[in-house]
Structures are given as C-alpha cells and as structure tokens.
Amino acid sequence: MRCWLPDISFRETLLTVAFLLAAQLLFAQQDTAGAYVFSLEDCVKYALSNQNDVVNARLSRQSSQERIREMRGRLLPHVTVTGNFTDNLKLQTSLIPDIANDPSQKIPVQFGTKFSSAVTGEATQTLFNSDYFLGLRAAKVYDELSVRDLQRTAIDTRVQVSVAYFDVLVALEGIRIVDANLAQFGKTLRDTKARYDEGVAERIDVDRIQASFNSVETQRANLDRTRNYAYDVLKYSMGMPLNAKLELKETVQDFTSAALPDSLNYSVLDRPEYAMQRVQVELNRLNLKSKKLEFLPTLNAFVNYGFNWFGGEFSELYKTGYGASALGLRLSWPIFAGTERIYQARQYAITLRQSENDLNYLNQQIQLQVRDAWTQYSNNYASLVTQQKNIELNQGVYDRVVLKYEQGVSTSLDVISADNNLKLAQNEYITALINALISKVKLDQAMGKIKVE
C-alpha cells in the first residue's frame, strides 16, 4: 500500500493543476468575450450595420424597391374568377300579351328556374392608362429618395459616432494629463512632508499642498466616471450593447495634425439634403403631370369564359352546363367631372413652385453653413494651437517654481499658484481640443465631404 500513496498524491496534484488551468482559461475567455478594439472607422462600420436609424433606413430602401415591383405588377394581366349560386325562393312575375287568346290582354308569367349557378373567369390587360406609367416613374423617384435618405442617415450616424468617439479620446487625454499632475504634485507633496519631518518646512506648507493634491485626486475620480459614460454614449451611438467591452486604437494626436481645409473647394451637390430636395421637386412635378393627364381615357382588353347551370330541383342543377365566352375592349373616358380637377392641378402647381423655392433657399443655406462651420473650426483650431503652447509655458513655469521651492527660494503659495495656472491651461486645452475635433467633423459634414461607402 505504501508504494501507491505517492502515485495517488501525484495524480491528485495533476488533477488540481489541470482544473486550475482550465478555470483560469475559462475566466480569461469570459473576460475577453464581447471585447472590441476599434478605430474610428471600425466604429463607423459597426454602426452602419447595427445602428437603429441606419437599419430602418435600409428597410425603407427595400420597401421602395418592392414599390417599384408593385407598379410593374399592375401592368401585367389581371385574372379573376367569380362564381355564384342562387335559390329563387319566389320567381319574379312579368306581364306579357295573351297572344293565344286576346293580345290586348296581359297575362302573368314567370321566367327562369328555382335554382341557378354560374362560374366565370376573366383576364384583363391594361392597354393604356397614364396613371400606371407615371406611377412607375414616380416609384423610381421614390426609390432614389430612399437612397438619399439612407445616405443622409448614414452620414448623420458617422457624425454622431465620430463626436462620441472624440469625447472618449478627450476623456482619456484628460486622464493622462491628470495622472501626470498627480505624479509630479505627489512628488512635491512627499518632498514637503520629508522636509517637514526634518524641520525644514512648516505644517502649513504640507496642508496647502495636500489640499491641492486632494483636489486633483477628486478630479481624477470624476474623469473616470466621465470616461465610462463617454464609452456608453459611443456604444449607444454604434448600436452596440452597453455591457460590451470596447477599447479604442487611436489617440487624440492622430486627429489634431491636419491642416486647415479649403472652404471654397466643395459642391452643394455633395450634400444629401440637396439631392433629396431635388428629388422632391421631381415628385411634385410628376404629381402635377398626373393630375393634368386625368382627362385621358383608360383602355383595357378582356377575355372571359364561364358556365351557367339551371334546374328546377337542386339535384338537377349541375347535370347540364351552358358555356359562354366573350372578348372585347373597355374604354373609360372621364369627359367632365366638375371643376375640382382644375383647382387641384393649380394646388399641385403651387406646391411645385414652393419646392423649387425651397431648393434655391437650401443652396444658400448650405453655403452659409459651410462658412459658419469653417469659421468655427478655424477659431477652435487656432485656440487649440495656442493652448498647446500655453501648457508648455505653464509647465515650464511650474517646474522652475518647484525647483526654487525645493531650494527654499519660493514658498508653497508660489507652488500652488503655479499648479493652478497649469491646471487652468490644461482645462482650456481640453476644451479647445474637443471643440476643434467636433467642429472639424461639422465642417466636413457641411461641405459634403463625409462619404458613406
């Protein structure tokens, strides 16, 4: 028995190690399940496949394609089958001359049978109908409108995702700056405490620097919560579950090195709103044309075939059938339908003129939007460059003041003042940074430079 004890212990050890490794692997898989590491383009692509507005716009596009097929289907032959069964509870009585006796006298007679039945199939083909052909053209225009609406929705989604993405990047940049502040201010605090322990510094110096350090720690905790919420907003904008794990590949430095764009090199035709308004003008023109063509006739061809059965008793009804067939044309021509059509056409003409005016106004509105967006971005970009320089200057001032403080030349008030000036410059830099990033996206949107593949 003794020779087996080491083997049993060894096996138990192997099983325990294997179990721990398997559990560790399982937990690692659970931790990484649903994790995404995305760039801005990755976030946009995800949103274009999952974001609710884009999905609905894509469904509207599919619906417009089905509408075109519906209009085409109206031009195909229409086949109907009708049937009936009649039980004449009391046959209708008619009066006819009494030819056998006295023609001047009328005698009552009944025609028909108690039971009758009929089945008829008819095929109808439209030969001419102005509404059908205009409807098919209008359906194609509606399809183009749905395409433009999908483009606009996709562009709005890209802008929304970009803004949320930049909010996260700026939050991360703010955390990086505050962490640097904690490191350098923590060192000053530790040095001051050491000097106080040696009797070189006063207690008031420790308390002043400690209070400032506590404020920075609170700011760091606030930024953590802000970053987490910014991630949630980004995931919501993308149509991603809020409990999914998302990390970003890029930093703000990847987006702040671009030069000022040319505010004149753009075309209003690149804006989906302008294209949609042009489509609306075409739809209003088709509506007016359709109303004017309502006086034209409608011509249909038809062919039918059916059977009729008659019987005095129900048991005799379907013993003998009599076939019937017809081929012909049907013409419907609304010669006069009051004057309402005239005034309706005038209303459509007014609507068309309004849409044309809106198109011209939209052209000017887009130009004004571009100028406003370019002005905003230019100002924000200039402020960003200035704040970057101010951070460097205030960081240099802070470093020199701390050096003098360590040498006993300056006071703790000088250090706190320099630190406040540095934090103020950093806050202004963060504000200028987010304003510059967002205004650049707005400028690209105004100029129609945001494209959706």
Side-chain angles (χ1 to χ4, degrees):
M1 294 294 294
R2 293 182 179 179
C3 64
W4 289 100
L5 290 176
D7 292 338
I8 294 174
S9 177
F10 180 69
R11 288 179 180 179
E12 290 178 348
T13 303
L14 286 179
L15 289 175
T16 303
V17 172
F19 175 77
L20 292 176
L21 290 176
Q24 183 178 5
L25 179 60
L26 178 61
F27 290 142
Q29 291 177 349
Q30 291 178 348
D31 291 339
T32 58
Y36 301 92
V37 181
F38 278 177
S39 65
L40 175 58
E41 286 302 316
D42 294 332
C43 291
V44 170
K45 290 180 181 178
Y46 185 97
L48 295 181
S49 299
N50 298 276
Q51 210 268 352
N52 181 69
D53 293 339
V54 180
V55 172
N56 285 339
R58 192 173 291 112
L59 291 175
S60 297
R61 170 83 173 94
Q62 296 176 6
S63 177
S64 67
Q65 291 176 328
E66 297 300 329
R67 185 171 185 173
I68 293 178
R69 298 185 180 100
E70 173 194 352
M71 297 305 300
R72 289 174 178 170
R74 291 185 181 182
L75 299 179
L76 298 176
H78 288 56
V79 179
T80 58
V81 176
T82 59
N84 67 71
F85 167 81
T86 304
D87 181 357
N88 296 301
L89 300 177
K90 186 176 180 62
L91 291 175
Q92 182 178 354
T93 301
S94 300
L95 296 177
I96 64 173
D98 186 2
I99 300 176
N101 298 313
D102 184 2
S104 64
Q105 298 296 320
K106 305 291 185 179
I107 58 174
V109 295
Q110 291 180 328
F111 297 96
T113 59
K114 179 174 176 54
F115 297 100
S116 63
S117 181
V119 174
T120 303
E122 181 175 277
T124 305
Q125 173 62 58
T126 300
L127 300 179
F128 178 79
N129 189 327
S130 61
D131 282 345
Y132 281 179
F133 298 104
L134 285 176
L136 181 60
R137 184 177 174 185
K140 293 180 179 179
V141 176
Y142 271 113
D143 182 63
E144 183 181 357
L145 185 64
S146 68
V147 172
R148 299 300 182 181
D149 182 65
L150 177 59
Q151 292 177 349
R152 182 188 64 177
T153 303
I155 289 174
D156 291 343
T157 300
R158 174 181 281 270
V159 171
Q160 184 180 3
V161 170
S162 298
V163 171
Y165 189 90
F166 292 147
D167 282 338
V168 176
L169 291 185
V170 170
L172 294 175
E173 178 70 5
I175 290 175
R176 184 191 66 80
I177 292 175
V178 171
D179 285 342
N181 290 345
L182 283 173
Q184 66 183 10
F185 212 65
K187 180 180 180 302
T188 302
L189 177 61
R190 289 191 299 272
D191 293 343
T192 303
K193 288 182 177 180
R195 295 173 61 189
Y196 171 75
D197 293 339
E198 295 174 358
V200 179
E202 297 182 2
R203 182 66 188 180
I204 190 174
D205 295 327
V206 177
D207 292 341
R208 286 172 179 170
I209 297 178
Q210 181 69 58
S212 296
F213 183 81
N214 293 341
S215 298
V216 178
E217 282 189 324
T218 301
Q219 183 184 7
R220 179 62 171 81
N222 294 340
L223 285 176
D224 275 337
R225 289 185 284 269
T226 301
R227 175 199 56 194
N228 295 336
Y229 178 71
Y231 267 114
D232 289 340
V233 172
L234 174 58
K235 287 183 283 189
Y236 175 79
S237 302
M238 296 166 54
M240 177 181 289
L242 296 182
N243 58 354
K245 295 182 180 179
L246 177 63
E247 296 180 5
L248 307 187
K249 292 181 180 179
E250 298 156 312
T251 64
V252 292
Q253 284 72 25
D254 297 319
F255 299 94
T256 55
S257 58
L260 285 174
D262 183 7
S263 64
L264 301 178
N265 186 21
Y266 74 96
S267 173
V268 295
L269 299 177
D270 294 331
R271 287 283 295 269
E273 297 88 346
Y274 190 83
M276 293 179 67
Q277 185 60 34
R278 292 178 66 183
V279 173
Q280 186 61 53
V281 171
E282 182 62 22
L283 283 175
N284 292 337
R285 186 175 288 111
L286 288 175
N287 288 336
L288 176 59
K289 188 175 182 179
S290 175
K291 180 58 64 175
K292 288 182 177 180
L293 294 180
E294 281 186 356
F295 71 92
L296 293 178
T298 298
L299 181 62
N300 296 325
F302 70 91
V303 60
N304 60 39
Y305 190 86
F307 281 92
N308 298 305
W309 294 272
F310 305 95
E313 299 292 337
F314 181 77
S315 60
E316 302 175 353
L317 177 61
Y318 292 103
K319 288 184 178 181
T320 304
Y322 303 92
S325 180
L327 173 67
L329 299 174
R330 290 194 185 99
L331 178 67
S332 176
W333 195 345
I335 300 300
F336 182 75
T339 59
E340 59 178 332
R341 189 169 57 201
I342 298 175
Y343 298 109
Q344 288 176 350
R346 292 180 181 178
Q347 293 177 47
Y348 286 143
I350 293 174
T351 302
L352 174 60
R353 290 177 56 186
Q354 289 176 329
S355 61
E356 291 174 342
N357 292 337
D358 290 339
L359 182 64
N360 294 330
Y361 176 76
L362 182 60
N363 187 359
Q364 300 179 9
Q365 188 178 21
I366 291 176
Q367 295 181 34
L368 185 61
Q369 288 177 355
V370 171
R371 294 183 183 183
D372 176 63
W374 187 84
T375 301
Q376 294 296 328
Y377 177 67
S378 299
N379 293 342
N380 292 329
Y381 185 79
S383 298
L384 176 61
V385 173
T386 300
Q387 296 308 323
Q388 288 174 333
K389 295 179 181 179
N390 287 343
I391 283 185
E392 296 177 0
L393 294 175
N394 282 278
Q395 184 65 55
V397 171
Y398 176 83
D399 293 339
R400 289 191 293 271
V401 169
V402 170
L403 179 60
K404 291 183 178 179
Y405 174 72
E406 292 174 350
Q407 295 174 350
V409 179
S410 61
T411 65
S412 59
L413 289 176
D414 296 328
V415 175
I416 294 175
S417 177
D419 177 69
N420 290 336
N421 292 334
L422 177 59
K423 287 189 290 188
L424 177 62
Q426 290 169 345
N427 291 334
E428 292 177 347
Y429 163 73
I430 292 297
T431 301
L433 178 61
I434 189 61
N435 290 339
L437 292 174
I438 293 178
S439 59
K440 178 60 168 62
V441 177
K442 297 296 184 180
L443 176 59
D444 291 339
Q445 182 183 20
M447 297 175 68
K449 294 187 178 297
I450 296 180
K451 304 297 181 181
V452 179
E453 303 261 331

